[in-house]
Amino acid sequence: MITLAEGLRLPTNGLDYTILALYFIVVLGIGFAAKRSVRTSLDFFLSGRSLPAWVTGLAFVAANLGATEILGMAANGAQYGAYTVHWYWIGAIPAMVFLGLVMMPFYYGSKVRSVPEFLLHRFGPSSHLLSSIIFAVSSVLIAGVNLYAMAIVLQALLGWPQWVAIVVAGFFVLAYITIGGLTSAIYNEVLQFFVILAALIPLTVVGLKRVGGWDGLTHSLNSSHGDAFLTAWKGTGIGEGNPLGANWLTIVLGLGFVMSFGYWTTNFAEVQRALSAKNLSAAKRTPLIAAFPKIFIPMVVVVPGLIALVMEPTLGKSKDGLQYNDAIPVLMRDLLPNGVLGIAVTGLLAAFMAGMAANVSSFNTVFTNDIWAAYLKKGREDAYYLKTGRVVTAVGVLIGMGTAFIASSFSNIMNYLQTLFSFFNVPLFVVFIIGMFWKRTSAAAGFWGLLSGTAAAMVNYFWFYKQGIIAIPSDQGANFVSSIVAFVVGALVMVVVTLATKPRPAESLAGLVYGTRSPGMEELPAEGDDAWYRKPALLGWGAVVLAAVCYIPFSF
């Protein structure tokens, strides 16, 4: 999954470890401070729906900014060049805006505690249970990736044995989530967002200075990799070749629509942050606020990957040498002095913990509410489910410690994560989008659409691609195709099954289908929420326009 080369050991000293220790103390302090607000299971799982939009917005983007994102997107930058920006400007922003403007009124207005619970209301228990199991499995898989990847990185950079890194980080994540619930996770994610930026910004600035600024970087890469390497669209015509192994159609449909909307609109690790907002207006603004920092993340994640490629031209060239995953660690080793190095290590560790905490906190919510309370232990008192949530948190961390070894065959960690998203998130999105906009969709269609879409993605990837039945140039290209296949198959199955079965009564779909209303959706905005700069439509379309403008320097 991730292999770091020998010789990356960082020259850390007491100052660096002091910074790291202070960070751990603050993390636990936030956990204990949040404990006072946890009195019910709603407080533990959704922060009592009490948090302001700016907090949930920063937590929303931080939950996605895990170290697998940082290391993986830097690796993609080194391997694929400027094509990597597609994951942000077409592969994130439109979907985040769609979530805020279109889907959050349904999620928040129906007062559900999780994404699978929405499927319970719309399609019934079969789809609910299947989606809950799928989401629980994917959550611990992704949490495990963060934990294992962190252990490998800290072993290479600091010399920590893998088991020490796993135990230390796992303990702190377990401690602050178990103590303070989602509130603790979210406020720590806000802290982690700024710590991560404090690590990445100096790395980018110093790195650019070392390679002669942006002009020096572009000149070096154009000379070594050709003019197309720093453009986002050149070479993406159908039948043309490019490092990404994808054309404009698979980028727009596979990444920009199917994978992106599938991830951002159905991934409960993200949606949970918006559901914890204090009212509907704040919930809608959560992903829209998060979209603005997300637009600029490539500047401190993808660009360092390009810088590393100039500083270490052998990156990814030899199986036994430096790999693309080494891009960020190489820059940390070669560019940062002590003190700043401690901040960088802390930022990397914070990113791992943010990614893992987001998945663990969503896992404990889904397992407790959507599996345990819904099908195994119904009707217990609230204190019982609060205690269960804390126990399940510990179980999730322990399972996460063992799951990432499944990904050991992947040389680029983002390839693995995108594979999981094509398997699990895309079929969910099919069910959501059709069920939300087609009132006729039946309960049976939701179940069979979800099951067939998941199966189709796996068959395409493991059989057609891995067995060489169809030729796709890269794992990422295969993921885009798998996503399209999952969407098309799931949609076709839903249409056929719907036409062959009875629809639900229209009166039972209030607030669950576009064009209908539920009492929760009639909520009046809080004082100040009607200010022009807080208008969701303005924030959403502003983010889309800004993302489009960012493409201009990378399009020629």
Side-chain angles (χ1 to χ4, degrees):
M1 177 196 64
I2 174 171
T3 304
L4 297 187
E6 295 292 331
L8 288 178
R9 189 68 50 81
L10 300 178
T12 49
N13 62 16
L15 176 60
D16 300 312
Y17 279 104
T18 299
I19 293 172
L20 193 59
L22 287 173
Y23 170 73
F24 279 130
I25 292 171
V26 172
V27 163
L28 288 182
I30 291 174
F32 280 105
K35 183 181 180 181
R36 292 177 296 178
S37 64
V38 179
R39 297 182 182 87
T40 67
S41 62
L42 184 66
D43 295 333
F44 186 78
F45 294 122
L46 286 180
S47 302
R49 300 188 193 270
S50 62
L51 301 180
W54 73 269
V55 170
T56 55
L58 290 181
F60 189 98
V61 70
N64 179 252
L65 194 59
T68 48
E69 163 93 359
I70 294 170
L71 293 178
M73 284 304 177
N76 277 355
Q79 184 173 359
Y80 304 129
Y83 295 103
T84 309
V85 300
H86 291 308
W87 269 273
Y88 294 88
W89 301 333
I90 198 172
I93 302 305
M96 294 168 73
V97 171
F98 183 82
L99 172 64
L101 296 182
V102 178
M103 295 190 72
M104 280 316 302
F106 293 97
Y107 282 142
Y108 199 91
S110 59
K111 299 301 179 185
V112 296
R113 291 191 176 198
S114 68
V115 169
E117 188 179 342
F118 184 86
L119 290 184
L120 174 64
H121 296 317
R122 178 61 182 88
F123 293 108
S126 297
S127 298
H128 174 236
L129 180 59
L130 178 60
S131 64
S132 299
I133 293 171
I134 287 174
F135 186 81
V137 171
S138 64
S139 293
V140 293
L141 283 172
I142 298 171
V145 173
N146 279 279
L147 193 58
Y148 183 67
M150 181 215 63
I152 298 295
V153 170
L154 293 185
Q155 182 184 42
L157 300 185
L158 303 179
W160 292 13
Q162 287 186 29
W163 71 269
V164 172
I166 287 174
V167 170
V168 169
F171 168 77
F172 278 96
V173 170
L174 175 61
Y176 72 72
I177 295 180
T178 303
I179 294 169
L182 184 64
T183 301
S184 174
I186 284 178
Y187 277 105
N188 267 304
E189 284 161 0
V190 173
L191 169 67
Q192 287 157 349
F193 175 74
F194 291 107
V195 172
I196 292 166
L197 290 185
L200 294 178
I201 291 174
L203 201 65
T204 307
V205 172
V206 175
L208 278 174
K209 187 175 181 180
R210 179 69 66 89
V211 299
W214 184 254
D215 289 339
L217 178 67
T218 55
H219 176 74
S220 297
L221 291 176
N222 286 339
S223 300
S224 60
H225 289 74
D227 295 340
F229 194 71
L230 289 180
T231 64
W233 295 106
K234 190 176 290 186
T236 60
I238 296 176
E240 294 185 70
N242 59 70
L244 189 58
N247 56 54
W248 68 268
L249 186 63
T250 55
I251 290 172
V252 172
L253 292 182
L255 173 63
F257 176 58
V258 180
M259 288 188 74
S260 169
F261 279 67
Y263 174 80
W264 290 103
T265 64
T266 67
N267 183 16
F268 185 50
E270 299 293 338
V271 175
Q272 187 179 26
R273 274 74 195 143
L275 289 178
S276 67
K278 63 182 180 180
N279 55 31
L280 176 58
S281 174
K284 292 168 66 175
R285 283 183 280 123
T286 293
L288 306 178
I289 291 171
F292 287 91
K294 185 70 176 178
I295 290 171
F296 298 104
I297 293 298
M299 302 302 111
V300 292
V301 174
V302 179
V303 171
L306 300 174
I307 295 169
L309 197 58
V310 173
M311 293 183 59
E312 294 284 352
T314 61
L315 208 66
K317 302 296 184 186
S318 167
K319 207 167 187 181
D320 300 324
L322 291 169
Q323 301 301 306
Y324 293 119
N325 286 319
D326 296 325
I328 292 290
V330 161
L331 296 185
M332 291 171 60
R333 180 197 66 188
D334 295 344
L335 297 177
L336 301 182
N338 291 109
V340 179
L341 191 60
I343 295 174
V345 172
T346 302
L348 202 57
L349 189 59
F352 277 116
M353 292 170 64
M356 182 183 180
N359 284 282
V360 169
S361 60
S362 57
F363 167 77
N364 67 25
T365 303
V366 168
F367 186 89
T368 303
N369 291 324
D370 296 293
I371 298 176
W372 193 258
Y375 299 100
L376 299 176
K377 297 291 183 181
K378 299 180 180 180
R380 299 294 185 92
E381 65 278 5
D382 187 72
Y384 172 81
Y385 296 120
L386 176 58
K387 181 180 179 180
T388 301
R390 289 193 161 112
V391 172
V392 170
T393 300
V395 173
V397 171
L398 292 174
I399 294 175
M401 291 179 180
T403 57
F405 293 95
I406 298 171
S408 60
S409 61
F410 289 79
S411 61
N412 183 321
I413 53 180
M414 285 310 294
N415 290 346
Y416 172 61
L417 290 176
Q418 296 291 327
T419 301
L420 292 179
F421 298 153
S422 70
F423 289 172
F424 301 128
N425 292 94
V426 171
L428 268 175
F429 174 62
V430 178
V431 174
F432 267 86
I433 203 68
I434 293 180
M436 194 171 283
F437 287 94
W438 189 22
K439 194 180 296 185
R440 172 80 169 77
T441 311
S442 66
F447 175 83
W448 289 109
L450 180 57
L451 187 61
S452 62
T454 302
M458 291 181 175
V459 168
N460 179 77
Y461 189 86
F462 290 116
W463 187 22
F464 288 104
Y465 170 59
K466 285 297 187 181
Q467 300 302 318
I469 296 175
I470 57 174
I472 303 176
S474 68
D475 284 346
Q476 289 289 11
N479 291 334
F480 297 163
V481 174
S482 295
S483 298
I484 295 172
V485 169
F487 186 89
V488 171
V489 170
L492 288 175
V493 169
M494 288 188 72
V495 170
V496 171
V497 174
T498 292
L499 296 177
T501 53
K502 291 183 178 180
R504 290 184 57 186
E507 59 271 15
S508 68
L509 300 177
L512 302 173
V513 178
Y514 194 76
T516 66
R517 291 277 177 181
S518 70
M521 296 171 71
E522 300 293 343
E523 178 181 319
L524 296 175
E527 184 178 354
D529 282 350
D530 54 354
W532 67 268
Y533 55 87
R534 292 183 177 179
K535 296 288 186 183
L538 177 65
L539 291 172
W541 287 108
V544 170
V545 170
L546 185 57
V549 169
C550 288
Y551 262 118
I552 294 174
F554 296 95
S555 298
F556 305 100

